[in-house]
């Protein structure tokens, strides 16, 4: 009798209780699958946008987004316009593949390093032409525009290292300290954000600022005016309240 009472209290032997737990588990599994599918759709759309906007050529560059403890990432060597739901690629924060059969991007160490060390939910890496050009000329993008403040301050250039290596990931992390974007020497850009839209917008802003600096610095006999740290701080504070509320 005592055993029957214990079973009733903890739910054992109660088919109704078991069914309810099963339904909750199934519902949670469906919600996770739906969230992953939506995130994958957004990732593919963002990857295609990098091509359309001229930030990458072919299959260069890569995009990732975090859903829980799973990182969805573009596969290596697959044109973005061919990606479908069947091509989903997901890895754990330890790099172990948990979704899909296609191999993840060769730059996976760089993406995972960002997620491990920051609160980023999305990362965009491109070979944007103006930004790449700037990365070969200076150790950091001069503060040519107040949008520098939106990236946390003057954008640094991470020293060159072979793509896909832990060395490149380490160099990138140092350049990203207190920043949401950086340049990779002779390589391209990395930007992260709370969403794919934000990471992409930061990438586009960085490319635009690099273009502006190259244009201004190309005028013979003239030197571009740059913004002081105080001006950048003012801009950063003002930009925190930019846009619609809610």
């Amino acid at each position: 009798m005592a055993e029957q009472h214990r079973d009733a209290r903890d739910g054992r032997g109660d088919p109704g209780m078991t069914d309810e737990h099963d339904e909750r588990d199934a519902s949670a599994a469906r919600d996770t699958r739906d969230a992953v599918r939506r995130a994958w759709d957004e990732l593919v759309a963002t990857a295609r946008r990098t091509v359309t906007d001229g930030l990458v050529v072919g299959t260069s560059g890569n995009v990732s987004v975090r859903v829980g403890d799973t990182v969805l990432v573009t596969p290596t060597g697959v044109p973005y316009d061919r990606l479908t739901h069947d091509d989903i690629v997901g890895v754990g924060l330890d790099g172990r593949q948990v979704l899909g059969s296609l191999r993840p991007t060769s730059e996976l160490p760089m993406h995972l390093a960002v997620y491990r060390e920051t609160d980023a939910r999305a990362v965009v890496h491109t070979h944007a032409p103006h930004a790449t050009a700037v990365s070969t000329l200076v150790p950091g993008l001069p503060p040519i525009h107040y949008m520098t403040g939106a990236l946390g301050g003057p954008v640094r250039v991470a020293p060159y290292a072979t793509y896909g290596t832990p060395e490149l990931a380490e160099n990138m992390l140092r350049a990203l300290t207190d920043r949401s974007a950086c340049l990779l020497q002779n390589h391209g850009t990395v930007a992260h954000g709370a969403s794919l839209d934000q990471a992409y917008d930061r990438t586009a802003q960085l490319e635009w600022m690099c273009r502006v600096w190259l244009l201004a610095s190309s005028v013979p006999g003239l030197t571009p005016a740059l913004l002081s740290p105080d001006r950048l701080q003012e801009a950063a504070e003002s930009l925190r309240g930019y846009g619609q509320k809610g």
Side-chain angles (χ1 to χ4, degrees), residues 119-196:
D119 59 358
R121 308 303 294 183
V123 177
V124 175
H125 165 52
T126 77
H127 294 177
H130 297 93
T132 304
V134 170
S135 79
T136 70
L137 298 172
V138 289
L141 174 64
I144 191 73
H145 193 271
Y146 67 79
M147 284 303 293
T148 301
L151 302 180
V155 178
R156 307 181 186 102
V157 176
Y160 181 81
T162 304
Y163 76 92
T165 61
E167 182 185 2
L168 177 59
E170 292 169 6
N171 292 349
M172 173 208 65
L173 281 180
R174 285 193 292 271
L176 280 176
T177 301
D178 299 322
R179 302 288 188 272
S180 56
C182 73
L183 300 176
L184 307 175
Q185 190 177 51
N186 296 85
H187 188 155
T189 70
V190 173
H192 64 78
S195 65
L196 281 165

Side-chain angles (χ1 to χ4, degrees), residues 15 89 101 127 183 209 214 225 227:
V89 176
S101 59
H127 294 177
L183 300 176
M209 286 191 295
L214 287 171
L227 296 176

Side-chain angles (χ1 to χ4, degrees), residues 26-49:
S27 178
R30 284 194 300 271
D31 290 345
T32 298
R33 286 195 299 270
D34 290 345
V36 167
R37 177 165 287 224
R38 287 194 301 271
W40 179 253
D41 287 343
E42 293 177 15
L43 180 148
V44 171
T46 301
R48 290 174 178 171
R49 190 177 175 189

